Amino acid sequence: MHSFRTEIEDPIVQKDIIDLERKIALFRDGKIDDERFRSLRLARGVYGQRQEGVQMIRIKLPFGKVSSEQLLRIAKVSDEYSTGRLHITTRQDIQIHYVSLDRTPQLWAELEKDDVTLREACGNTVRNITASETAGIDVVEPFDVSPYAYAMFQFLLRNPVCQEMGRKFKISFSSSDKDTALSYMHDLGFIPKIVNGERGFKVMLGGGLGSQPAHAELLSEFIPVNQIIPTTEGVLRIFDRFGERAKRLKARMKFLIKDIGREEFLQLVDEEKLALSNQVVEIDTTDFDAPIPEPILAAPKVIIEDRVAFEKWKKTNVIWQKQAGYVAIGIKVLLGDFYTDKARLLAELIKNYGANELRFTLRQDILIRNVKEENLEFFYQELAKLDYVAIGYDSTADITACPGTDTCNLGIASSTGIAVELERVLETEYPQYSNNKEITIKISGCMNACGQHNMAEIGFQGMSINSGKLVAPALQVLLGGGNLGNGNGRFSDKVIKIPSRRGPDALRFILNDFEANANGLSFLNYYDAKGEKYFYELLKPLADLTNLNEADFIDWGNADNYIKAVGVGECAGVVIDLVATLLLEAKDKLTFAEEAFAEEKWSDAIYHSYAGFVNGAKALLLSENQKTNHQAGIIDLFDTVFVETNKIPLQSTLKDLVFQIKQNEPSEEFAKKYIQEAIAFFDTIELYRAKDLKDEK
């Protein structure tokens, strides 16, 4: 036990892991409130499951890139601490389940041996930065966005500006105007452009899915590559300061932009420029510009007996790269689930015969990159041994689904069970869709859209439906969403709600009608021509509840009658903080500020001090039962409740004191002064709190 204290070479990582261990001990001793502890562990990738007493661990893999060594490490950890199942998410992470909370520090330490982190995989943080899995090999890309996505990940990891925001924040990098990383549904989405020979990005702002999807707005048609990190830091600072913190359903950045408007939001961002840690950040692309490495071993020549099957697979699952003589191989992974025994063999395959890299995809699949075209038949043979040659990679037949009621607290109906059945229907009845890249099918177990159901051409959302005194699992059918490219997309219409068991028939009705009546139109043009009402009438017979049978009350993948059971969600919701916990955290922030100052990280020291000011002020406001909904509001309200009434005399208003942060460059002189003022403020409020508690007795 505690061996990670000596095994981790990076002292910052070691400190992180020891801190998690300490917080778990405090929680077990009843010294940290349950709700507050939730937010602490979420930011370390530790997420509660539907099943009591065990955790889901989310492993953060920037843009899904993994080496053989990292995959082997993940497999080892999964076998030792979990069940051996690896789940690929729509943000290119890996999730493992049924992990004991007390073992998470050691698990994390094991992963870090191969530079794999849990940090900020969940919680009110910047989540995993996604990118097109074809970035770097895409024949139509202006340039490889991978180094820019990685630089963004490195800059934001552990950055104090994004550790305790009001809600999660999502960033994507697409490889081309096709926008396969879906910029329009991200808080910040980057699309590569070259203007007058200069690299840069078109930037989309404030998109999101969930129960109220919002299309991102244009931030800029072109930002040079050396400005993307300063721009992102400015956006995060404003979201951190003004984002909603009391009403969880209104806490995403899309609501802030809707409330104050794009122009006001960008004006606030502009006012932060002086305070940014860097005005320009040059990004080194050297590591990504190197030639593709030669395989360690020469692949033996093989003879493919079933050439028809091979050619069919080659047509649907192989992508020709921009690098002459190389291909990428797509592995269609049912439900995004694969297992450690095959993961190990796959790791050895890419290490010995490939370029030692694969990427997990946004469609929950695997893409092996940089395979020599001459070795394609060998790879087919080896992948066939693993049962990894199912056709239909990245096609209509490649259905996206969240875990739903399998493990998620918020799941209402099974998304995985219906996904398996719909894939069976497509394979056996509609094989022509195994190479259709136009229509996507996506399924979520609830309204939160982790399966991205409300941006698909055909989407299904898990629900429940009442029939007398009984409750049956149901699906809402959504149609008409899709990615239009270059920052544009559309969200699906909610057409009708049907019992879950009729989901396969709904798909049959839709596809049969499309084939009979589209007359050469694309699916979206066909949908627009017919209109939502047409599809409501088409599917209406499936919504009839007068003829339900016993099977309709059993959800897909289950043997027992359906019971609607929704737990407390852990999607980084805002929680009620205890005053003592907030004061403790404020003190922690000031300690972090002093540590950052000692390391000459002036900007980090200043921002930690800022967080100390805010947490301390919030603690006292809560002690007075005063409601707060964002950081700027906390500061204003503190002045009203404490400073203007002379309950807590300060030399100036708290607003003037705190907002020096945006009026000064992050220098050593200002950092030192600001830390001292934050410590003095904390001492003042601690004295007030102690006196207040004494008076209450």
Side-chain angles (χ1 to χ4, degrees), residues 90 178-186 207-215 362-363 400 438-444 447-461 477-485 488-494 523-524:
T90 55
K178 291 182 180 179
D179 198 15
T180 54
L182 310 173
S183 67
Y184 65 93
M185 49 166 267
H186 280 80
L209 291 181
S211 60
Q212 299 178 61
H215 195 292
L362 298 158
R363 295 280 290 271
T400 301
E438 175 198 333
I439 301 171
T440 61
I441 301 174
K442 296 177 183 285
I443 307 170
S444 299
M447 65 182 181
N448 286 311
C450 295
Q452 302 174 342
H453 67 277
N454 48 10
M455 53 73 61
E457 282 77 10
I458 302 173
F460 297 93
Q461 177 194 324
V477 183
L478 299 93
L479 297 170
N483 174 23
L484 305 179
N488 297 305
R490 46 191 280 176
F491 300 116
S492 315
D493 294 325
K494 298 174 182 177
F523 184 85
L524 290 182

Side-chain angles (χ1 to χ4, degrees), residues 64 88-92 131 133 331 359-367 393-394 398:
I88 307 167
T89 77
T90 55
R91 295 209 65 76
Q92 300 171 291
E133 57 271 11
I331 299 173
R359 295 199 188 181
F360 298 120
T361 82
L362 298 158
R363 295 280 290 271
Q364 301 175 289
D365 290 328
I366 298 170
L367 187 68
Y393 168 80
D394 201 33
D398 194 358

Side-chain angles (χ1 to χ4, degrees), residues 233-260:
E233 182 185 349
V235 168
L236 286 167
R237 281 170 171 260
I238 296 309
F239 178 53
D240 191 35
R241 191 170 304 155
F242 293 95
E244 175 67 46
R245 289 173 183 266
K247 300 172 184 174
R248 178 183 177 277
L249 295 178
K250 296 289 184 182
R252 290 293 299 272
M253 193 172 72
K254 61 187 177 183
F255 296 109
L256 174 60
I257 293 171
K258 182 180 178 182
D259 288 346
I260 69 175

Side-chain angles (χ1 to χ4, degrees), residues 6 137 161 252 254 292 304 310 330 414 424 460 612 615:
T6 55
I137 63 172
V161 304
R252 290 293 299 272
K254 61 187 177 183
I292 297 171
I304 303 297
F310 171 74
S414 174
R424 187 196 66 78
F460 297 93
N615 276 9

Side-chain angles (χ1 to χ4, degrees), residues 575-596:
V575 298
I576 298 171
D577 304 299
L578 296 178
V579 175
T581 303
L582 269 175
L583 286 171
L584 180 65
E585 289 186 355
K587 198 167 187 176
D588 281 346
K589 295 294 187 294
L590 298 180
T591 300
F592 298 157
E594 291 178 311
E595 290 172 351

Side-chain angles (χ1 to χ4, degrees), residues 543-591:
D544 184 3
L545 301 183
T546 62
N547 56 359
L548 294 179
N549 58 44
E550 287 185 16
D552 288 313
F553 293 95
I554 300 173
D555 207 355
W556 291 103
N558 290 273
D560 299 322
N561 273 13
Y562 173 76
I563 299 173
K564 182 180 178 181
V566 183
V568 177
E570 296 221 321
C571 297
V574 178
V575 298
I576 298 171
D577 304 299
L578 296 178
V579 175
T581 303
L582 269 175
L583 286 171
L584 180 65
E585 289 186 355
K587 198 167 187 176
D588 281 346
K589 295 294 187 294
L590 298 180
T591 300

Side-chain angles (χ1 to χ4, degrees), residues 12-29:
I12 297 173
V13 174
Q14 185 186 68
K15 181 182 174 185
D16 257 355
I17 297 172
I18 292 171
D19 182 57
L20 175 60
E21 182 193 42
R22 182 173 66 89
K23 295 287 173 56
I24 291 171
L26 290 171
F27 170 67
R28 294 295 193 203
D29 291 343

